[in-house]
Amino acid sequence: MALALPRRGLAQIAALIVILLIDRMVSPQFFDLRLQDGRLFGSLIDVLNRGAPVALLALGMVLVIATRGIDLSVGAVMAISGAIAASLADSHAWPVAVAAALGAGLLCGLWNGFLVAILGIQPIVATLILMVAGRGIAQLITEGRIVTFTSPDIIWFGTGSLLGMPAPVVIVVGMLIVTGLVVRGSALGLLIEAAGGNARASELSGVGIRTMVVSVYVWCSLCAALAGIIAAADIMGADANNAGLWLELDAILAVVIGGTSLFGGRFSLVLAVCGALIIQAMNTGILLSGYPPEFNLVVKAAVVLVVLLLQSPRLSDLVANYRKARA
Amino acid sequence: MALKRILMSLALASAPFVAPASAAQLTVGFSQIGSESGWRAAETTVSKSEASKRTVNLKIADAQQKQENQIKAIRSFVAQGVDAIFLAPVVSTGWDAVLKEAKQAKIPVILLDRDIDPSGKDLYLTAVTSDSVHEGEVAGDWLAKTVGDKACNIVELQGTVGASVATNRKKGFDTAIAKHANLKVVRSQTGDFTRAKGKEVMESFIKAEGGGKSICAVYAHNDDMMVGAIQAMKEAGLKPGKDILTVSIDAVPDIFKAMVAGEANATVELTPNMAGPALDALIAYKDKGTTPPKWIQTESKLYTSADNPQQAYDSKKGLGY
Amino acid sequence: MQETAEARQPLLDVRGLSKSFAALRALDQVDFTLRAGEIHALLGENGAGKSTLIKVITGVLARDAGTVSLDGKEIVPRSAKEALTAGIATVYQEVNLLPNLSVAQNLYLGRQPTRFGIVRDGEMKRRAAELLAGYDLHIDVAAPLGSYSVAIQHVVAIARAVDLSARVLILDEPTASLDRHEVEMLFRTMRGLAARGIGIVFVTHFLDQVYEISDRITVLRNGRLIGERMTSALPRLDLIHMMLGRELSETTEERAVHEKSAAAPCASFTNFGKRGYIAPFDLELRHGEVVGLAGLLGSGRTETARLVFGAERADSGTASVEGKPIRLHSPRDAVQHGFGYCPEERKTDGIVAELTVRENIVLALQAKRGIAKPLSRREQDEIAARFIKLLDIRPPDPERPIGLLSGGNQQKALLARWLATEPRLLVLDEPTRGIDVGAHAEIIRLIRELCERGLALLVISSELDEIVAYSDRVVVLRDRAHVGALDEHAIGVPSILAAIAADDAARIAEEA
């Protein structure tokens, strides 16, 4: 129940299927799967695997956006957590490295939540601070180098597998279930939607908005920290300059494609993840197509535009009116 | 007691004359871009050591990727009356005013690593840069020689779209392999110069080329993308360096590590030592009045697994890459 | 008056106008005729189609069928701007001018007098002052519009609209947030404009005002035209009958005196106040008692309610519940102590429009229980179904977004939100504001029922009749201070008026 697809998800699911079919057209072996070293191997798996970091970011971001906020710092938090995990990976046991990286994410989330909920700074400004400063912090940790490591336990987070599925995919599914249970299994989901829909009314109904807002920013940063560990593990190194760079924008886009309004209120975790997969299916398709890279951004923009138009209530009104006029 | 003190102060006073300096010790101000990449950090480290080798007093100002900081740094160097200014310009335009100020103060300016577009070439003494078209050519020539007459499908990992380094390294490589009909670039995509994107793009190349069986070689515009691509090949069950040849550019320590492991074949060095040739030119100019050429091209040295990669790795790893 | 108006050529002639939203027929073949120089009241319950009619006439919504003619010439405006150019101006309840610009700038926005491309500020001010003098309004036109009362803002909006060559002026609930003096001022303006031959459409919920100012009445119900009558020939009961479609005794309530002073105190506030917000007051609320707060707009009624509910933090005094002192720093504290609050601004402070009726109903209860103790979907369904039935919320669909319900049903759902928490004290701020006659009577009946069940109620209303009808005690406010209290034997409209303003009371009582 917690993860039930809402009725309004049809546009996103349809978009994902259409993009996957287009991928199949540009690359005939798109749906081929084979087992390689006990791990499923194929373009479809690549979509899931490469989409994992953005899907994780979107899982946190969707909650923040549902409260009418936004978190621009997730890319920087990825860089910080990756840098910490990489620095500790070879000198400490893996639980220590992972806990330290997630702990850094927790602190980042508390900081953002403090600025937004307690000091009342606009979310876009408040999180901009960490977006800029966070990458600097990550560079301080790595001293501007790519810190590489060999700990197989940490590397598992990026390239390992469980039951044939790549570890990042397993982690995303796990986090989706955990987030779903936390949000829909408790009253948090309802209160987030109420506060996002009308903060004043919710406050006057006795909803403790501050605590709730702080907790969604913390959750968002934790998701980002986990994504940071995956990104570092994937390349067996922490690249503070590039890890998570601009991914906050992809995460926001994923949430919006998933049908959650930037004005807060109703949200869907599953559709946010679906949004991340739509973006990645498109990226992978472009890579497979063999078009010159100069077209990447144009193609991406066009597809996003189409997906968003499909969801636009005004467009469906126009289409309905047009049909009526023709009939 | 008194005698001892006199002797000591004499010894101290004579100290400068003991050093094997050409003339008076030179003070050079270096406006560095920042530390946006490992290569940049290595350049800073090497510049320091090259300066101390020549007993030049090098003052480094980190501009954190901002032109305004570089302009401020140059003005402050001029005010301090340094003997020369090294500039690694973050952008190619907007330098006229501040370089004229340096010229009026009769302080020579030497550009490191990147060139600029000033209104007149007389605003700087010389520019020490590598030729990125040439780097591409060296990579292409190595591949052509290694492959011989066999047909070879190449996949290319480009740098960031629109970056001049990416455009040039592509151009040089294309020129080199154009002479050999058996070499063909079958796929080319951007990996944004990063490991993560290099890995992702290589994964898709492998899928698109029948599990990588039809790929004979990978050419990456930098080593970082190649490191990512090597991981992608390994995860796909391929043997990089054997099944698929690799050639990339930059010569960062991690590519030597891969060479030691037999997973990479060749890299073309973008030397971090820009300051060395610059200092030599400066000293010659100061001492003998020799005017250097407007462009000093650094060597684009080819390293392969035959060139003792372990030693190269050891010498490079301390530089801050 | 009747003869002349009848003889005039119709100024605005609407024939067979229809408009549907999906399956809902909001307007069904509606005719409407406005003659020059008349004030024409457009009446109907919430959802009758008044707003839709106005929006279709002014081009905000596209019509499905029908014609609109102005001076015998058919017009098809596609936006409010085109309607204005054609000569139809609309002034809404929320004045849509710019409060931070000066009065003069607002009047001439987009058409400032210029010379060589430079705005002639002095000329603009002179013209603005002249224009407003025609409305008997003598104010500083250089001051920001926002610094004036809502009534003056309305007159400025009307003046601007009329000056833009409007022949037809539509006033949508212009008096909803005005006090008596301000209404008078607005009515003077309306009479003056009618005398100049402008046709005025007046939409309101206040029947007294309809009889005071309108020449003619058109009633809509469920999107259909019920009838057009001369005001002077339509008894009030007949009008209500037309609006509701059923027999209903007039809502002037008989007062029933209960003996409740012996009841146990539920919540009390001592020397409770906030500097610059409301002067410290003592207030005791007992179980099963309704305390009415009476006073003019801005007298401190809502301020009292917000302080009692913790929405504003008091800086003096103490609050206690059942004799024990409590902390009251936030609505959250208040909810934990069993308080509830239905605010005046339903849309901005009450409902969460996009959430369903069910979710809106369970919101306060869920907040009270805390995040960790969620109500199961079954419990939510059960609660929603119970209150939808109890309060007769329509349509009885718990999964409909509450924003799609009429004002009266939204208000009932908000009441349900608090009743679900089983509160000990409920604060109702203007519970009948903007609600149609039928729902109005029901809400008053509900207030009485709740009180019978031992709930303590603090009710704010501008309708003195209403306060008199249900209050056991009335606290009177003036200038942000509690200035008097009337016990159950002394409650009556004249006595409340007398207490509200020693100097104004006599005159208002005479009028009433």
Side-chain angles (χ1 to χ4, degrees):
Chain A
M1 194 224 111
L3 302 172
L5 281 176
R7 279 157 297 185
R8 66 206 168 93
L10 290 174
Q12 288 82 358
I13 308 279
L16 182 58
I17 292 172
V18 168
I19 291 174
L20 289 175
L21 289 176
I22 293 174
D23 287 348
R24 169 68 178 70
M25 276 160 57
V26 299
S27 164
Q29 69 283 5
F30 188 79
F31 290 119
D32 294 356
L33 285 177
R34 67 181 163 93
L35 220 54
Q36 170 74 43
D37 301 334
R39 196 187 120 160
L40 283 171
F41 186 87
S43 293
L44 210 51
I45 299 296
D46 280 357
V47 171
L48 296 174
N49 195 21
R50 291 288 148 220
V54 172
L56 271 179
L57 295 184
L59 264 184
M61 186 72 77
V62 70
L63 298 182
V64 169
I65 287 179
T67 64
R68 215 176 183 161
I70 201 151
D71 188 348
L72 296 181
S73 71
V74 288
V77 173
M78 275 180 76
I80 293 177
S81 116
I84 291 177
S87 312
L88 301 180
D90 288 339
S91 54
H92 293 73
W94 73 268
V96 177
V98 170
L102 293 181
L106 182 84
L107 286 178
C108 291
L110 283 173
W111 166 255
N112 283 334
F114 171 75
L115 292 183
V116 173
I118 313 295
L119 297 189
I121 300 176
Q122 285 175 340
I124 196 165
V125 179
T127 57
L128 189 64
I129 297 170
L130 192 57
M131 176 187 176
V132 176
R135 201 158 288 283
I137 293 170
Q139 284 164 345
L140 282 179
I141 296 169
T142 62
E143 294 165 351
R145 294 174 295 135
I146 296 180
V147 177
T148 54
F149 54 91
T150 54
S151 157
D153 296 317
I154 299 286
I155 290 172
W156 179 87
F157 283 83
T159 60
S161 64
L162 194 73
L163 303 172
M165 286 308 265
V169 181
V170 176
I171 291 171
V172 169
V173 172
M175 283 300 284
L176 177 61
I177 292 171
V178 169
T179 313
L181 287 177
V182 168
V183 168
R184 300 296 179 189
S186 77
L188 194 61
L190 172 65
L191 299 188
I192 286 174
E193 289 183 335
N198 187 341
R200 283 167 63 120
S202 303
E203 201 159 15
L204 286 175
S205 299
V207 179
I209 296 203
R210 284 184 175 189
T211 327
M212 196 184 71
V213 169
V214 172
S215 52
V216 296
Y217 279 93
V218 166
W219 192 254
C220 185
S221 283
L222 277 176
C223 288
L226 201 48
I229 296 174
I230 291 177
D234 183 41
I235 58 166
M236 303 177 207
D239 184 352
N241 295 315
N242 297 306
L245 194 64
W246 308 126
L247 284 196
E248 56 277 344
L249 300 183
D250 273 2
I252 293 166
L253 186 61
V255 170
V256 172
I257 289 177
T260 300
S261 159
L262 286 179
F263 293 112
R266 287 272 186 232
F267 68 89
S268 162
L269 298 173
V270 173
L271 292 183
V273 171
C274 186
L277 293 182
I278 288 175
I279 295 173
Q280 188 57 44
M282 190 161 70
N283 285 344
T284 304
I286 291 170
L287 293 182
L288 288 170
S289 67
Y291 291 134
E294 287 79 3
F295 289 101
N296 292 4
L297 298 177
V298 180
V299 172
K300 215 170 146 176
V303 174
V304 168
L305 185 67
V306 170
V307 174
L308 293 181
L309 279 178
L310 280 177
Q311 294 179 37
S312 154
R314 189 162 291 183
L315 186 76
S316 51
D317 283 357
L318 283 176
V319 172
N321 285 342
Y322 176 74
R323 283 209 189 120
K324 222 192 289 175
R326 291 276 305 257
Chain B
M1 274 298 275
L3 183 69
K4 204 170 178 185
R5 194 179 290 166
I6 291 165
L7 281 175
M8 263 179 70
S9 57
L10 266 176
L12 281 173
S14 61
F17 301 104
V18 180
S22 46
Q25 194 193 11
L26 288 174
T27 298
V28 175
F30 178 18
S31 173
Q32 174 64 294
I33 293 179
S35 54
E36 82 281 1
S37 66
W39 182 87
R40 188 67 62 188
E43 185 194 29
T44 306
T45 316
V46 172
S47 301
K48 280 181 199 160
S49 67
E50 290 293 320
S52 68
K53 247 190 245 171
R54 295 168 177 83
T55 63
V56 168
N57 178 18
L58 189 69
K59 296 178 173 180
I60 299 179
D62 181 342
Q64 293 172 335
Q65 273 74 248
K66 287 208 182 79
Q67 185 179 27
E68 57 183 272
N69 288 347
Q70 293 204 298
I71 290 174
K72 268 186 220 154
I74 294 171
R75 292 221 164 101
S76 116
F77 289 145
V78 170
Q80 290 166 33
V82 295
D83 299 304
I85 294 172
F86 288 1
L87 169 64
V90 65
V91 291
S92 61
T93 53
W95 299 104
D96 279 14
V98 71
L99 292 188
K100 272 176 192 149
E101 286 170 36
K103 193 177 165 66
Q104 271 161 16
K106 298 202 162 41
I107 299 174
V109 174
I110 299 181
L111 304 178
L112 298 191
D113 169 45
R114 297 183 190 180
D115 211 339
I116 60 170
D117 303 327
S119 54
K121 287 276 178 192
D122 61 335
L123 286 176
Y124 61 86
L125 184 64
T126 179
V128 182
T129 71
S130 101
D131 179 352
S132 40
V133 177
H134 179 60
E135 289 164 354
E137 280 167 8
V138 172
D141 288 340
W142 172 83
L143 191 62
K145 208 176 80 193
T146 310
V147 172
D149 296 331
K150 272 192 308 176
C152 183
N153 287 341
I154 304 162
V155 294
E156 180 185 31
L157 296 165
Q158 298 185 27
T160 308
V161 174
S164 62
V165 180
T167 319
N168 291 342
R169 286 178 177 177
K170 181 172 176 52
K171 195 166 127 196
F173 186 81
D174 288 348
T175 319
I177 65 166
K179 296 170 250 169
H180 307 272
N182 57 324
L183 301 183
K184 206 173 101 204
V185 175
V186 289
R187 281 181 184 268
S188 181
Q189 250 295 347
T190 174
D192 282 336
F193 284 131
T194 69
R195 287 188 187 199
K197 286 286 281 177
K199 183 173 179 184
E200 181 179 351
V201 172
M202 191 64 203
E203 278 178 358
S204 72
F205 284 169
I206 292 170
K207 309 281 166 11
E209 296 296 327
K213 286 182 201 70
S214 54
I215 303 174
C216 138
V218 192
Y219 166 52
H221 290 187
N222 77 348
D223 288 339
D224 275 333
M225 289 190 288
M226 184 59 86
V227 170
I230 288 171
Q231 286 176 22
M233 289 183 262
K234 281 160 74 180
E235 282 168 27
L238 298 164
K239 290 195 182 64
K242 295 184 183 67
D243 298 347
I244 297 178
L245 296 173
T246 82
V247 57
S248 48
I249 302 175
D250 274 359
V252 303
D254 282 348
I255 202 74
F256 290 111
K257 226 183 260 156
M259 271 186 210
V260 172
E263 293 165 356
N265 300 101
T267 184
V268 179
E269 185 181 43
L270 167 64
T271 178
N273 182 11
M274 303 273 171
L279 286 167
D280 290 341
L282 177 67
I283 290 166
Y285 175 70
K286 287 272 177 188
D287 289 356
K288 300 174 199 142
T290 329
T291 307
K294 270 290 157 198
W295 180 31
I296 301 173
Q297 186 188 342
T298 58
E299 187 191 0
S300 300
K301 191 177 168 201
L302 179 77
Y303 284 87
T304 64
S305 36
D307 295 314
N308 195 353
Q310 184 64 48
Q311 191 191 22
Y313 174 73
D314 291 338
S315 68
K316 287 238 173 196
K317 79 177 172 190
L319 295 181
Y321 274 108
Chain C
M1 180 85 192
Q2 187 180 337
E3 293 307 315
T4 48
E6 205 62 64
R8 278 179 207 144
Q9 156 87 3
L11 176 61
L12 180 71
D13 201 20
V14 174
R15 292 284 149 232
L17 214 55
S18 293
K19 172 76 189 171
S20 298
F21 298 106
L24 179 74
R25 216 156 166 76
L27 284 182
D28 191 1
Q29 301 276 328
V30 171
D31 297 343
F32 178 75
T33 310
L34 179 71
R35 292 148 191 90
E38 78 172 358
I39 297 177
H40 195 138
L42 180 60
L43 303 179
E45 286 195 272
N46 283 325
K50 295 169 303 202
S51 300
T52 313
L53 178 59
I54 290 171
K55 283 183 180 153
V56 171
I57 290 174
T58 55
V60 176
L61 292 173
R63 66 185 85 148
D64 295 344
T67 59
V68 176
S69 321
L70 188 66
D71 271 335
K73 229 174 73 192
E74 197 181 326
I75 56 167
V76 190
R78 273 164 305 174
S79 67
K81 204 176 163 195
E82 283 190 25
L84 189 60
T85 317
I88 303 176
T90 315
V91 174
Y92 290 99
Q93 182 180 346
E94 312 292 336
V95 178
N96 38 10
L97 293 180
L98 305 165
N100 51 343
L101 293 189
S102 77
V103 172
Q105 284 166 328
N106 267 294
L107 280 170
Y108 290 101
L109 197 64
R111 50 184 191 120
Q112 300 95 329
T114 55
R115 180 181 288 157
F116 313 125
I118 297 160
V119 175
R120 299 167 64 196
D121 211 36
E123 170 72 8
M124 188 167 77
K125 279 187 211 156
R126 195 184 56 73
R127 280 206 222 162
E130 231 169 63
L131 181 68
L132 292 180
Y135 293 85
D136 206 15
L137 195 61
H138 303 279
I139 57 172
D140 177 10
V141 295
L145 182 69
S147 63
Y148 291 106
S149 71
V150 179
I152 290 178
Q153 294 186 28
H154 262 111
V155 175
V156 171
I158 291 170
R160 176 183 159 86
V162 172
D163 199 44
L164 286 164
S165 79
R167 315 276 319 282
V168 173
L169 182 62
I170 300 173
L171 302 175
D172 192 358
E173 298 253 18
T175 57
S177 50
L178 303 189
D179 67 22
R180 220 183 161 79
H181 279 108
E182 295 173 328
V183 170
E184 269 311 314
M185 176 181 155
L186 187 67
F187 282 3
R188 272 201 305 277
T189 306
M190 286 165 66
R191 288 196 188 96
L193 290 172
R196 282 161 54 185
I198 289 172
I200 299 176
V201 180
F202 178 46
V203 181
T204 185
H205 276 112
F206 299 106
L207 299 192
D208 286 345
Q209 294 176 0
V210 170
Y211 280 97
E212 189 178 338
I213 191 142
S214 72
D215 304 314
R216 203 182 293 264
I217 296 172
T218 289
V219 177
L220 301 180
R221 190 170 76 229
N222 293 333
R224 287 162 199 250
L225 173 68
I226 299 303
E228 190 203 77
R229 302 276 193 282
M230 295 302 295
T231 310
S232 52
L234 181 64
R236 199 180 266 241
L237 256 159
D238 293 357
L239 171 60
I240 292 175
H241 181 79
M242 284 172 77
M243 289 168 67
L244 297 182
R246 61 178 185 257
E247 296 294 338
L248 192 102
S249 65
E250 269 225 74
T251 51
T252 36
E253 306 279 340
E254 285 302 311
R255 243 188 75 68
V257 175
H258 321 279
E259 278 306 323
K260 279 185 195 141
S261 42
C266 161
S268 52
F269 303 87
T270 314
N271 195 33
F272 215 55
K274 179 177 180 177
R275 201 185 305 269
Y277 194 66
I278 188 157
F281 58 85
D282 293 339
L283 183 64
E284 190 172 79
L285 303 161
R286 304 190 196 103
H287 288 291
E289 187 190 49
V290 181
V291 174
L293 288 181
L296 297 175
L297 208 74
S299 60
R301 298 172 309 188
T302 297
E303 288 79 357
T304 302
R306 287 178 61 84
L307 221 59
V308 163
F309 192 65
E312 290 287 335
R313 202 159 150 177
D315 59 9
S316 75
T318 54
S320 60
V321 163
E322 315 287 356
K324 289 191 199 79
I326 57 161
R327 192 182 81 144
L328 195 55
H329 288 172
S330 66
R332 208 167 145 68
D333 291 342
V335 170
Q336 294 302 326
H337 290 297
F339 294 5
Y341 173 47
C342 290
E344 178 183 7
E345 301 294 339
R346 245 189 340 258
K347 285 212 156 40
T348 58
D349 298 357
I351 61 166
V352 184
E354 65 176 318
L355 295 196
T356 63
V357 173
R358 165 179 57 83
E359 288 166 317
N360 270 283
I361 289 178
V362 301
L363 183 59
L365 177 58
Q366 185 59 71
K368 191 177 179 181
R369 287 166 60 113
I371 287 175
K373 289 185 198 149
L375 290 158
S376 72
R377 180 59 189 264
R378 208 164 50 83
E379 287 170 299
Q380 294 185 17
D381 287 340
E382 189 272 318
I383 292 168
R386 180 150 51 92
F387 283 103
I388 286 173
K389 187 154 175 260
L390 183 71
L391 303 184
D392 191 25
I393 295 171
R394 286 173 197 216
D397 173 11
E399 298 309 313
R400 179 175 277 252
I402 199 170
L404 301 181
L405 267 58
S406 70
N409 284 303
Q410 288 178 356
Q411 185 70 327
K412 286 184 193 168
L414 289 182
L415 266 175
R417 174 188 291 175
W418 291 112
L419 295 181
T421 67
E422 298 176 357
R424 56 162 56 95
L425 167 65
L426 201 48
V427 182
L428 307 177
D429 195 349
E430 299 283 6
T432 56
R433 156 83 36 97
I435 284 175
D436 57 71
V437 182
H440 195 129
E442 268 182 82
I443 290 199
I444 289 174
R445 181 180 55 76
L446 265 169
I447 290 175
R448 281 182 171 166
E449 254 179 44
L450 293 173
C451 159
E452 301 290 331
R453 287 164 49 187
L455 199 67
L457 283 159
L458 183 63
V459 185
I460 295 170
S461 178
S462 303
E463 311 265 328
L464 292 186
D465 288 345
E466 229 181 88
I467 291 216
V468 169
Y470 49 64
S471 301
D472 298 305
R473 208 143 46 88
V474 172
V475 173
V476 178
L477 294 96
R478 188 175 61 223
D479 296 336
R480 308 211 158 197
H482 291 218
V483 294
L486 303 169
D487 68 19
E488 54 221 306
H489 301 290
I491 296 175
V493 173
S495 58
I496 296 175
L497 284 174
I500 285 176
D503 51 339
D504 293 343
R507 198 170 53 76
I508 294 171
E510 262 167 40
E511 283 175 8

mmCIF file of all heavy atoms in Angstrom, chain C residues 25 70 188 265 278 412 420 424 452:
data_model
loop_
_atom_site.group_PDB
_atom_site.id
_atom_site.type_symbol
_atom_site.label_atom_id
_atom_site.label_comp_id
_atom_site.label_asym_id
_atom_site.label_seq_id
_atom_site.Cartn_x
_atom_site.Cartn_y
_atom_site.Cartn_z
ATOM 1 N N ARG C 25 -22.989 21.302 -14.985
ATOM 2 C CA ARG C 25 -23.578 22.384 -15.743
ATOM 3 C C ARG C 25 -23.654 23.602 -14.832
ATOM 4 O O ARG C 25 -24.551 23.710 -14.003
ATOM 5 C CB ARG C 25 -24.970 21.966 -16.223
ATOM 6 C CG ARG C 25 -25.281 22.509 -17.583
ATOM 7 C CD ARG C 25 -26.334 21.683 -18.304
ATOM 8 N NE ARG C 25 -26.840 22.434 -19.449
ATOM 9 C CZ ARG C 25 -26.177 22.573 -20.575
ATOM 10 N NH1 ARG C 25 -25.003 22.015 -20.717
ATOM 11 N NH2 ARG C 25 -26.696 23.276 -21.568
ATOM 12 N N LEU C 70 -24.342 44.530 -25.481
ATOM 13 C CA LEU C 70 -24.190 45.780 -24.743
ATOM 14 C C LEU C 70 -24.750 46.886 -25.645
ATOM 15 O O LEU C 70 -24.279 47.041 -26.770
ATOM 16 C CB LEU C 70 -22.713 46.008 -24.436
ATOM 17 C CG LEU C 70 -22.385 47.170 -23.507
ATOM 18 C CD1 LEU C 70 -22.920 46.908 -22.113
ATOM 19 C CD2 LEU C 70 -20.884 47.393 -23.454
ATOM 20 N N ARG C 188 -23.259 55.218 -1.026
ATOM 21 C CA ARG C 188 -23.378 56.574 -1.562
ATOM 22 C C ARG C 188 -22.754 56.635 -2.948
ATOM 23 O O ARG C 188 -23.315 57.197 -3.891
ATOM 24 C CB ARG C 188 -22.681 57.574 -0.628
ATOM 25 C CG ARG C 188 -23.550 58.117 0.478
ATOM 26 C CD ARG C 188 -22.983 59.431 1.026
ATOM 27 N NE ARG C 188 -21.600 59.334 1.472
ATOM 28 C CZ ARG C 188 -21.229 58.874 2.679
ATOM 29 N NH1 ARG C 188 -22.142 58.474 3.549
ATOM 30 N NH2 ARG C 188 -19.966 58.813 3.020
ATOM 31 N N PRO C 265 -15.576 26.012 35.032
ATOM 32 C CA PRO C 265 -14.725 26.719 34.070
ATOM 33 C C PRO C 265 -13.887 25.711 33.293
ATOM 34 O O PRO C 265 -13.432 24.714 33.849
ATOM 35 C CB PRO C 265 -13.847 27.616 34.935
ATOM 36 C CG PRO C 265 -13.893 27.024 36.296
ATOM 37 C CD PRO C 265 -15.206 26.301 36.416
ATOM 38 N N ILE C 278 -2.997 43.261 21.205
ATOM 39 C CA ILE C 278 -4.243 43.429 21.933
ATOM 40 C C ILE C 278 -3.925 43.660 23.405
ATOM 41 O O ILE C 278 -2.992 43.077 23.950
ATOM 42 C CB ILE C 278 -5.190 42.224 21.759
ATOM 43 C CG1 ILE C 278 -6.543 42.544 22.382
ATOM 44 C CG2 ILE C 278 -4.611 40.952 22.349
ATOM 45 C CD1 ILE C 278 -7.682 41.740 21.837
ATOM 46 N N LYS C 412 -18.018 23.380 7.062
ATOM 47 C CA LYS C 412 -18.465 22.218 7.830
ATOM 48 C C LYS C 412 -17.319 21.224 7.991
ATOM 49 O O LYS C 412 -17.138 20.639 9.057
ATOM 50 C CB LYS C 412 -19.639 21.543 7.127
ATOM 51 C CG LYS C 412 -20.942 22.305 7.241
ATOM 52 C CD LYS C 412 -22.021 21.473 6.596
ATOM 53 C CE LYS C 412 -23.292 22.231 6.359
ATOM 54 N NZ LYS C 412 -24.180 21.439 5.479
ATOM 55 N N ALA C 420 -13.418 16.140 15.376
ATOM 56 C CA ALA C 420 -12.759 14.838 15.400
ATOM 57 C C ALA C 420 -11.722 14.761 16.515
ATOM 58 O O ALA C 420 -11.400 13.683 16.997
ATOM 59 C CB ALA C 420 -12.099 14.551 14.055
ATOM 60 N N ARG C 424 -12.142 20.523 23.975
ATOM 61 C CA ARG C 424 -12.901 21.063 25.100
ATOM 62 C C ARG C 424 -13.288 22.511 24.803
ATOM 63 O O ARG C 424 -14.278 22.995 25.318
ATOM 64 C CB ARG C 424 -12.095 20.971 26.398
ATOM 65 C CG ARG C 424 -10.727 21.648 26.369
ATOM 66 C CD ARG C 424 -10.186 21.896 27.769
ATOM 67 N NE ARG C 424 -10.109 20.672 28.543
ATOM 68 C CZ ARG C 424 -9.001 19.933 28.641
ATOM 69 N NH1 ARG C 424 -7.912 20.299 27.988
ATOM 70 N NH2 ARG C 424 -8.981 18.832 29.360
ATOM 71 N N GLU C 452 -24.604 22.169 23.821
ATOM 72 C CA GLU C 452 -25.386 21.242 24.651
ATOM 73 C C GLU C 452 -24.506 20.084 25.121
ATOM 74 O O GLU C 452 -24.690 19.546 26.192
ATOM 75 C CB GLU C 452 -26.565 20.652 23.862
ATOM 76 C CG GLU C 452 -27.559 21.660 23.308
ATOM 77 C CD GLU C 452 -28.374 22.315 24.401
ATOM 78 O OE1 GLU C 452 -28.590 21.661 25.439
ATOM 79 O OE2 GLU C 452 -28.763 23.488 24.221
#
